[in-house]
Amino acid sequence: MKNVMITGVAGFIGSHLADKFLKEGWEVIGVDNFLTGNKLNISHLDSDSSFTFVEADVSSKTDFQQIGVGNSLDVVLHFACPASPVDYYKYPLETMQVNSYGTFNTLELAQKMGSTYLFASTSEVYGDPEVHPQVESYWGNVNPHGPRSVYDEAKRFSEACSMSYHREYDMDVRIVRIFNTYGPRMKLDDGRVVPNFIAQALRGEDITIYGDGSQTRSFCYVSDLVEGIFRFTSFKNLEGEVMNLGNPDEYKIRDFANIILRKVGSDSMISFEPLPEDDPRQRCPDISKAQELINWQPETSLDDGLAATIEFFQGIL
Ligand code: NAD
Ligand code: UDP
């Protein structure tokens, strides 16, 4: 049986990844310190003998070295990191640490064990992009010291670090650049646009649009993303590849607000608030590489994905 270590397993994406790998017959070692994650996201795995959970800070060498991994470790997925702007503004240093010390710790382990290593990067490495849609060969337009840099630059550092291990040790390293993903198990209060708008619409509160709402995002449902990550991890001959995964269906945020209002059947009003500093004006993935190399594209419509997400939030409100 193959085995995988997933850091950030109690988070939104990490917990869905654990479900996917277990369903595919893998053993999963999940690591998390609950900085932004939630025990409830993995409580359904308590009695699964193929799942082992270790509470540890990935950025701490002492914590990390105490994790027992046995004689073999096929894959390491480094997903631990606060991911919503609200979270990484709240934990700026932890965000930088998990993408530096944490990246080194996980890379060292993967090198020692001969594991395939997949780093969870982000569309944020493109910053406020001047190339649209964003293709992997674009180097980005990032403010190196603004408030978002604790995330953007840290992820860029992790990419550089991962590729250095690939070049230095001929390690099988892969980098996935994840675009805005949504679905059940997101935190109601994590500040990202999907939970914010759905919670506001369900509660009858004002929908808060930052800026004039003309900025764009494209939204990928979590099961599609997880399928893409599984393929990117398990397909052969992809060493050293960097790959966008996301949904190229692009919306202006003000149009997205109206979609949520209609879908929830809410009569909430819309209010406008200041645009956060360095908020990217446009974002949409070019997914031709994923289509070509792993035969992947999103399958879930926004309508279906939102229905499942709204149902989840109704259950926890
Ligand atoms: P999340 O906050 O739900 O999950 C992150 C998890 O990492 C949490 O459970 C948190 O407790 C854990 N964590 C943080 N620091 C840790 C540390 N030092 N040691 C151990 N655990 C730690 O976020 P998410 O949306 O699931 O994102 C997961 C990964 O995917 C992140 O690396 C993020 O940058 C990346 N990503 C996500 C999106 C998205 O749209 N959700 C987009 C781009 C990239
Ligand atoms: N946004 C918004 N209202 C909110 C939350 C977010 O208008 O209540 C905007 C935000 O300014 C950004 C987009 O929605 O332009 C996506 O924000 P999110 O925090 O989800 O992710 P980002 O793509 O910025 O990391």
Side-chain angles (χ1 to χ4, degrees):
M1 195 185 266
K2 287 189 157 192
N3 63 354
V4 55
M5 172 183 282
I6 304 175
T7 72
V9 75
F12 161 52
I13 297 177
S15 63
H16 285 283
L17 278 172
D19 291 346
K20 172 71 180 171
F21 277 85
L22 288 165
K23 193 168 147 232
E24 298 288 342
W26 289 52
E27 276 182 357
V28 174
I29 303 164
V31 185
D32 207 294
N33 67 350
F34 301 114
L35 182 69
T36 57
N38 185 345
K39 284 194 171 108
L40 286 177
N41 287 343
I42 46 171
S43 57
H44 61 289
L45 302 177
D46 280 350
S47 55
D48 190 327
S49 58
S50 298
F51 180 70
T52 308
F53 177 71
V54 184
E55 185 168 346
D57 178 352
V58 179
S59 305
S60 150
K61 204 164 191 109
T62 324
D63 259 26
F64 197 69
Q65 281 176 340
Q66 281 166 4
I67 301 172
V69 289
N71 296 327
S72 70
L73 184 60
D74 296 294
V75 171
V76 175
L77 302 180
H78 184 29
F79 275 66
C81 174
S84 91
V86 166
D87 283 343
Y88 58 73
Y89 292 159
K90 187 169 167 197
Y91 300 112
L93 301 183
E94 290 85 346
T95 301
M96 300 204 74
Q97 283 158 357
V98 78
N99 286 297
S100 48
Y101 304 126
T103 302
F104 274 115
N105 288 337
T106 48
L107 276 164
E108 269 174 27
L109 176 73
Q111 192 232 333
K112 196 171 84 192
M113 304 298 290
S115 325
T116 295
Y117 183 87
L118 184 92
F119 177 68
S121 189
T122 165
S123 51
E124 285 279 331
V125 298
Y126 300 119
D128 189 10
E130 294 149 318
V131 169
H132 194 72
Q134 290 78 58
V135 65
E136 288 89 346
S137 54
Y138 175 50
W139 291 352
N141 175 36
V142 175
N143 177 346
H145 53 72
R148 287 179 97 95
S149 65
V150 298
Y151 185 70
D152 304 8
E153 289 294 10
K155 289 287 187 182
R156 288 167 70 96
F157 175 82
S158 275
E159 286 203 9
C161 204
S162 303
M163 290 308 285
S164 303
Y165 268 72
H166 169 62
R167 284 188 290 264
E168 196 68 17
Y169 300 110
D170 202 20
M171 257 176 73
D172 181 352
V173 165
R174 306 166 186 209
I175 294 171
V176 56
R177 291 189 180 145
I178 302 168
F179 284 63
N180 297 63
T181 299
Y182 71 101
R185 300 189 195 153
M186 290 185 100
K187 288 185 297 177
L188 250 186
D189 59 351
D190 87 353
R192 285 183 271 196
V193 68
V194 174
N196 266 17
F197 283 4
I198 294 178
Q200 290 160 345
L202 288 171
R203 291 175 175 142
E205 296 167 0
D206 279 8
I207 303 280
T208 53
I209 291 183
Y210 302 157
D212 64 4
S214 62
Q215 71 271 32
T216 70
R217 293 294 187 275
S218 51
F219 300 98
C220 185
Y221 189 62
V222 65
S223 60
D224 285 333
L225 176 83
V226 158
E227 176 62 32
I229 292 170
F230 183 75
R231 290 188 196 191
F232 188 27
T233 306
S234 44
F235 276 35
K236 294 199 186 322
N237 303 323
L238 296 176
E239 295 89 343
E241 292 290 353
V242 179
M243 188 180 283
N244 288 339
L245 289 181
N247 193 322
D249 201 10
E250 185 182 1
Y251 297 88
K252 286 190 168 59
I253 290 299
R254 60 169 175 255
D255 296 336
F256 188 64
N258 285 314
I259 291 171
I260 300 280
L261 283 175
R262 265 202 312 278
K263 194 81 193 141
V264 173
S266 166
D267 51 12
S268 284
M269 307 295 282
I270 287 182
S271 67
F272 291 89
E273 296 191 359
L275 191 67
E277 197 177 333
D278 298 330
D279 196 279
R281 298 289 321 152
Q282 53 183 0
R283 183 179 292 154
C284 178
D286 180 317
I287 58 164
S288 355
K289 189 167 182 178
Q291 284 169 320
E292 191 190 327
L293 293 185
I294 59 169
N295 190 25
W296 177 88
Q297 60 188 24
E299 304 290 345
T300 311
S301 66
L302 185 65
D303 204 43
D304 288 349
L306 282 179
T309 311
I310 291 166
E311 193 185 325
F312 169 78
F313 283 128
Q314 274 166 331
I316 59 169
L317 256 188

